[in-house]
Amino acid sequence: MPELPEVETVRRGLQPAMEGATILRAEARRPDLRFPLQPDFLARLDGQVVTSLSRRAKYLLADLGSGDVLLMHLGMSGSFRVVSDGTAAMPGAFHHPRSDDRTHDHVVFHMSSGTSVIYNDPRRFGFMKIFARADIDHEPFLKDIGPEPLGNAFDAAMLAGALAGKKTSLKAALLDQRNVAGLGNIYVCEALFRSQLSPRRLAATLSTKKGEPTDRATRLVGAIHDVLNLAIKAGGSSLRDHRQTDGELGYFQHSFQVYDREGEPCKTDGCEGVVKRFVQNGRSTFWCPKCQR
C-alpha cells in the first residue's frame, strides 16, 4: 500500500498535466474499481477544469471548477501514466515496478494540456469517488483522518495529546490514521528506529501524567519529519508497484536504516545490535532491540 511520500510524489508528477487543465473527456473502461463508479461519474468530470490537485493522507484530491472534488486512492497496485505525443511517463517512485499491462488501464482523463492521464490497476484495490467540496467535512473517507505529519500544526504536543491514555503499542498508534495521517509500515519502522523508540512501547508514554509531551515525543516528531521529507525528496518508496510519473524508481529504499534489514548490523553509531523482525498487528516490524527502548 502506498504511503504518504509515494502519494505526494504521484501528486507532484500529475500536477503539470492536470492542474489548470480541462478534462475534455473522461473514459471508464469498466464500471468498477474496488467499488462501483458512480452512475454520474463521467458526466461530472467531462468539461471540468482541475483547479487544484492536492493530497490528504494517502488520498489524491482534484478540485473541479464545478465545486466537486474527485477523490482518488491508488490501492495496492494502482498507478497513473501520463501520455503526451506518444510518450508515456509514470508518476511515483517505488521499490518494485508498477504494471505496464495496458489491459489494466481502467480510467482515462483526456486533458486540454494535450496529455492523457491513465489509471492502471491490476488488482483493482484502488478507487475513485466524486463528492461536493461543501461536503468534505462529512466525507466518510476523510472525516476521521488525523493531522498531516508535515503540517505546521503537527508537533510534539499534538502527538502527545493524540496518544495520551492510549493502551496500544506505539507502532500500532502511529499506523492508526485517526492519530496521524498517511503513515504506513515502512516509515513508522524507520521513524521509530531513528528516534530510538521501541515499537512495543506503550503509546501513552509519549506524554506526562499532565498530558505534556516528553522528550520521546519530541524525538519521534523530528524523526517523522526527517524520514518523510527524505522519502519525498528521493521520490518515494514502496514494496510494490508505485512509480513516478516519469517512470523512474525511487531511491529512498536504498537509505533504509532498519526496514527489511533483518539479521544485519544496527546502523546506530556505537550499537552492536542486530536488526530483528517480528509480526505486530499482522505487519512485519523491523527494529533493533538493543538501542530502541
Side-chain angles (χ1 to χ4, degrees):
M1 192 71 70
E3 302 185 26
L4 186 154
E6 284 75 42
V7 180
E8 178 61 21
T9 302
V10 171
R11 185 194 72 80
R12 295 182 185 189
L14 290 177
Q15 204 168 18
M18 297 189 75
E19 197 167 80
T22 299
I23 302 173
L24 299 178
R25 181 171 64 90
E27 179 184 354
R29 296 179 177 174
R30 59 175 302 120
D32 60 353
L33 296 171
R34 188 195 308 182
F35 311 116
L37 297 173
Q38 295 149 287
D40 58 353
F41 180 79
L42 298 178
R44 292 172 74 174
L45 293 173
D46 288 347
Q48 293 300 319
V49 176
V50 178
T51 58
S52 69
L53 186 65
S54 59
R55 178 193 55 76
R56 180 73 173 104
K58 303 176 185 180
Y59 297 96
L60 292 169
L61 301 174
D63 275 271
L64 307 176
S66 62
D68 281 338
V69 177
L70 170 63
L71 178 148
M72 298 170 280
H73 192 280
L74 294 172
M76 294 184 70
S77 63
S79 63
F80 284 98
R81 189 170 72 254
V82 179
V83 179
S84 179
D85 299 325
T87 302
M90 192 173 290
F94 313 87
H95 199 50
H96 293 297
R98 284 296 196 188
S99 169
D100 288 324
D101 188 342
R102 303 300 191 259
T103 62
H104 299 298
D105 291 349
H106 300 314
V107 179
V108 183
F109 306 113
H110 300 279
M111 308 299 300
S112 64
S113 59
T115 62
S116 293
V117 177
I118 303 169
Y119 179 70
N120 180 289
D121 192 350
R123 297 187 182 187
R124 285 190 291 111
F125 286 165
F127 59 90
M128 297 185 186
K129 178 183 180 180
I130 300 176
F131 61 89
R133 163 58 73 170
D135 296 332
I136 193 167
D137 290 340
H138 306 289
E139 168 52 42
F141 289 115
L142 302 176
K143 66 183 181 69
D144 294 325
I145 292 177
E148 289 287 329
L150 294 178
N152 292 333
F154 183 74
D155 59 12
M158 176 176 283
L159 181 61
L163 302 186
K166 299 285 186 183
K167 303 300 183 184
T168 187
S169 70
L170 183 53
K171 186 189 177 192
L174 293 173
L175 289 174
D176 187 335
Q177 299 298 292
R178 295 170 297 182
N179 295 323
V180 188
L183 295 182
N185 197 43
I186 292 175
Y187 300 113
V188 168
C189 285
E190 288 293 305
L192 288 173
F193 175 77
R194 294 177 188 225
S195 57
Q196 296 190 316
L197 295 174
S198 169
R200 289 186 164 118
R201 170 177 285 279
L202 196 65
T205 61
L206 264 63
S207 63
T208 66
K209 292 181 179 180
K210 295 181 178 179
E212 297 173 348
T214 64
D215 174 66
R216 300 183 191 99
T218 301
R219 295 196 329 255
L220 180 55
V221 167
I224 289 171
H225 287 161
D226 290 345
V227 165
L228 294 180
N229 282 318
L230 283 170
I232 291 170
K233 183 178 179 180
S237 64
S238 184
L239 287 184
R240 301 188 69 86
D241 297 334
H242 297 280
R243 289 195 200 173
Q244 287 181 296
T245 39
D246 62 8
E248 294 294 324
L249 294 178
Y251 295 101
F252 184 69
Q253 63 266 24
H254 301 305
S255 299
F256 286 161
Q257 298 293 299
V258 69
Y259 189 84
D260 205 23
R261 295 189 62 246
E262 181 183 10
E264 297 182 28
C266 176
K267 290 190 175 184
T268 300
D269 290 341
C271 179
E272 298 179 355
V274 174
V275 174
K276 303 291 186 181
R277 171 190 170 274
F278 68 96
V279 177
Q280 188 177 23
N281 301 109
R283 308 293 299 276
S284 290
T285 294
F286 297 89
W287 71 311
C288 174
K290 187 168 184 179
C291 68
Q292 287 180 253
R293 301 293 182 181

